């Protein structure tokens, strides 16, 4: 059992996987758990304990058919997998900021004692990055491209400049809300310095707050946004696309929501489905552990936040790229 216990000990911590669209987070968690259990139970089983048994047998060297009891060491089968079943039957796996079935991207999972670190991630109010793809010219009942169509409209009048102007207004209004929910007095020097460096965060739970938003690609009817936010849901991001369409005097639906960063986990850290196995997950946990400890300490320390970027206009990449590695 030693090698198996050692393998289990290396599983305590956080790691990220890439959730494909069409898969629920519960199904993903169960799949990862199944793969981990297979790996743990496939490890080298401990040698069975030996028990002394007195076995009846013929007397050695005797021509007579006399029988005698001989002390013999035999394996004890009480703990054999065929008798008691597999050594590991369940694992405690926690899920971080969840993604709904239609969304894809970075999803943070925790195993064992690492689940307590998820609470630290929540308390740190870490930001997340998304790419959101929109489609002009129609509206649906659930803001998704494949939802029930409720309206069609023209979009020939929509330009990149008009879209950028709307995005700038949205970012400005949310930055004012961020200051309000942070309970900071911007008249103080400390609060001013935090605002300049982009370190302001809400003190408690708040509505969705957009830290930065910009257009990456505009080719009507399609457009692609990059959004940095906190306390969001994917449905709220889809609704945001709908509201942008209304501000542009047309309609719009969301065709894709993809999370590219969750706190200090990026797409580079996310394990693809082909790597949801014991050894890959162990390596990912061990590789991320030092960075997780440092970044969580920074995010929970008063007056310091590693993932909030300074304010930038929608046409500026500074607000969304400076800390993309966090």
């Amino acid at each position: 059992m030693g090698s198996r216990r050692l393998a289990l000990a290396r599983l305590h911590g956080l790691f990220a996987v890439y959730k494909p669209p069409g898969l629920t987070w519960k199904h993903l968690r169960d799949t990862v758990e199944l793969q981990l259990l297979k790996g743990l139970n496939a490890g080298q089983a401990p040698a069975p304990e030996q028990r002394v048994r007195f076995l009846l047998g013929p007397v050695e060297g005797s021509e007579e058919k006399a029988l005698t009891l001989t002390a013999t060491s035999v394996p004890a089968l009480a703990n054999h997998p065929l008798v008691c079943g597999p050594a590991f039957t369940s694992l405690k796996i926690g899920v971080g900021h969840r993604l709904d079935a239609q969304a894809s991207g970075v999803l943070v999972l925790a195993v064992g004692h690492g689940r307590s670190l998820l609470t630290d991630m929540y308390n740190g109010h870490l930001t997340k990055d998304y790419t959101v793809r929109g489609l002009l010219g129609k509206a649906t009942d659930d803001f998704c491209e494949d939802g029930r169509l409720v309206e069609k409209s023209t979009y020939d009048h929509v330009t990149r400049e008009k879209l950028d102007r709307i995005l700038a207004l949205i970012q400005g209004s949310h930055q004012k809300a961020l200051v309000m929910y942070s309970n900071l007095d911007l008249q103080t020097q400390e609060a001013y310095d935090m605002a300049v460096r982009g370190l302001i965060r809400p003190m408690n739970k708040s509505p969705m707050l957009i830290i930065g938003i910009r257009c990456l690609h505009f080719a009507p009817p399609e457009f692609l946004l990059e959004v940095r936010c906190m306390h969001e849901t994917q449905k709220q991001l889809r609704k945001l696309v709908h509201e942008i369409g209304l501000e542009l005097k047309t309609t719009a639906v969301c065709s894709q929501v993809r999370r590219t960063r969750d706190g200090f986990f990026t797409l580079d850290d996310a394990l693809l489905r082909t790597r949801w196995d014991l050894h890959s997950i162990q390596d990912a946990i061990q590789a991320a552990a030092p960075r997780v400890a440092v970044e969580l300490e920074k995010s929970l320390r008063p007056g310091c936040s590693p993932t909030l970027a300074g304010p930038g206009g929608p046409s500026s990449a500074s607000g969304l790229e400076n800390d993309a590695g966090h």
Side-chain angles (χ1 to χ4, degrees):
M1 189 62 73
S3 62
R4 293 181 176 180
R5 292 298 180 188
L6 180 60
L8 181 62
R10 297 185 67 238
L11 277 178
H12 293 287
L14 298 178
F15 68 101
V17 299
Y18 186 87
K19 190 194 89 65
L23 185 69
T24 66
W25 65 265
K26 289 183 179 180
H27 189 184
L28 186 150
R29 181 194 60 189
D30 294 343
T31 302
V32 170
E33 180 183 11
L34 179 62
Q35 294 301 317
L36 290 178
L37 291 174
K38 284 183 178 178
L40 290 171
N41 289 317
Q44 183 179 3
E49 297 181 4
Q50 299 293 316
R51 301 286 181 87
V52 176
R53 292 288 185 267
F54 291 93
L55 303 181
L56 188 64
V59 179
E60 295 183 3
S62 174
E63 296 180 356
E64 300 180 359
K65 295 182 179 180
L67 299 176
T68 184
L69 292 174
T70 305
T72 307
S73 179
V74 298
L77 301 179
N79 295 325
H80 194 280
L82 295 179
V83 177
C84 61
F88 300 96
T89 57
S90 65
L91 287 174
K92 294 180 179 179
I93 299 180
V95 181
H97 300 108
R98 297 169 181 173
L99 290 170
D100 60 27
Q102 294 89 351
S104 62
V106 179
L107 182 66
V108 179
L109 301 179
V111 183
H113 303 322
R115 291 178 303 154
S116 62
L117 300 176
L118 291 178
T119 303
D120 294 336
M121 287 190 67
Y122 287 129
N123 294 337
H125 301 286
L126 303 177
T127 59
K128 296 173 282 297
D129 288 349
Y130 290 85
T131 55
V132 181
R133 192 176 301 274
L135 191 66
L136 296 170
K138 64 179 183 178
T140 59
D141 59 341
D142 60 357
F143 316 122
C144 294
E145 182 182 12
D146 55 356
R148 182 174 60 85
L149 183 65
V150 296
E151 184 180 355
K152 279 190 174 184
S153 58
T154 60
Y155 52 85
D156 297 339
H157 61 283
V158 178
T159 63
R160 175 67 180 264
E161 290 73 20
K162 291 181 179 179
L163 176 59
D164 287 342
R165 193 179 307 121
I166 295 300
L167 298 182
L169 291 174
I170 292 174
Q171 179 170 315
S173 64
H174 278 260
Q175 286 176 345
K176 292 180 180 178
L178 176 61
V179 173
M180 181 183 68
Y181 284 104
S182 67
N183 295 333
L184 289 177
D185 182 6
L186 290 183
Q187 302 301 319
T188 64
Q189 183 64 37
E190 179 183 4
Y192 177 79
D193 293 339
M194 291 177 63
V196 169
R197 297 182 332 192
L199 301 181
I200 296 178
R201 76 179 85 182
M203 297 299 295
N204 297 298
K205 186 65 176 176
S206 70
M208 178 179 72
L209 295 173
I210 296 176
I211 311 302
I213 182 171
R214 65 188 180 110
C215 180
L216 297 178
H217 179 69
F218 183 75
E222 294 185 355
F223 61 93
L224 181 65
L225 305 178
E226 187 175 30
V227 183
R228 170 162 296 180
C229 54
M230 61 174 66
H231 302 168
E232 80 294 337
T233 65
Q234 290 76 58
K235 185 174 182 179
Q236 288 174 325
L237 292 174
R238 296 186 186 99
K239 185 178 180 182
L240 175 66
V241 172
H242 169 75
E243 293 172 346
I244 290 174
L246 296 180
E247 292 294 332
L248 292 170
K249 309 303 181 184
T250 182
T251 53
V253 294
C254 181
S255 58
Q256 183 190 58
V257 175
R258 182 171 180 252
R259 182 190 288 163
T260 58
R261 181 181 63 83
D262 185 353
F264 35 80
F265 286 98
T266 67
L267 287 174
D268 293 335
D269 303 310
L271 299 177
L272 298 177
R273 193 164 189 168
T274 55
R275 298 185 59 203
W276 295 353
D277 58 81
L278 176 63
H279 297 298
S280 297
I281 292 176
Q282 284 177 328
D283 294 342
I285 290 176
Q286 297 303 313
R291 179 161 52 97
V292 168
V294 171
E295 297 294 346
L296 284 180
E297 182 182 0
K298 287 181 181 179
S299 64
L300 294 175
R301 188 185 307 159
C304 182
S305 174
T307 61
L308 294 183
S315 60
S316 169
S318 61
L320 291 171
E321 292 179 350
N322 286 346
D323 58 342
H326 291 284

